[in-house]
Amino acid sequence: QTRVMESGGGSVQAGGSLRLSCESSPVIDSCMGWFRQAPGKEREGVAAIYAGGARTKYADSVKGRFTISQDNGKNTVYLQMNNLKPEDTAMYYCAAGTLWACNTWSFSDPDTGTRFGAWGQGTQVTVSS
């Protein structure tokens, strides 16, 4: 059974950068996703990577600023976040699933996350203005 663990969160000023890491064991699953949830808001999908890292998806709100990637040798998925904004403040979660989870991923579907079987504990990202 896949287990994932996030790291790399922190506090930065607007315009700054952070890189989140998600270590997956025993290996990276077919579909890996990053989600976030801000206080009082629903969980939302941020980015996904699948097909061995060849395909990615991004929420419109992070396109051009965030980059998802994976290092198969380290069994780690990364989320590079640049030009951070206060509205990016949230708890960020890594999730692992089958290829079906990514193929059916929809950023407008609040149930997208339910298709993922393994979740980490989350890492907090706080962006101050």
Side-chain angles (χ1 to χ4, degrees), residues 79-99:
L79 185 68
Q80 178 66 44
M81 306 185 296
N82 297 329
N83 191 22
L84 282 161
K85 303 176 180 180
E87 50 263 43
D88 294 318
T89 295
M91 185 71 78
Y92 283 70
Y93 298 91
C94 177
T98 66
L99 190 57

Side-chain angles (χ1 to χ4, degrees), residues 12-35:
V12 296
Q13 290 190 325
S17 298
L18 284 173
R19 188 178 77 160
L20 305 183
S21 298
C22 172
E23 186 173 350
S24 180
S25 62
V27 294
I28 294 176
D29 254 358
S30 301
C31 170
M32 301 293 293
W34 283 98
F35 295 78

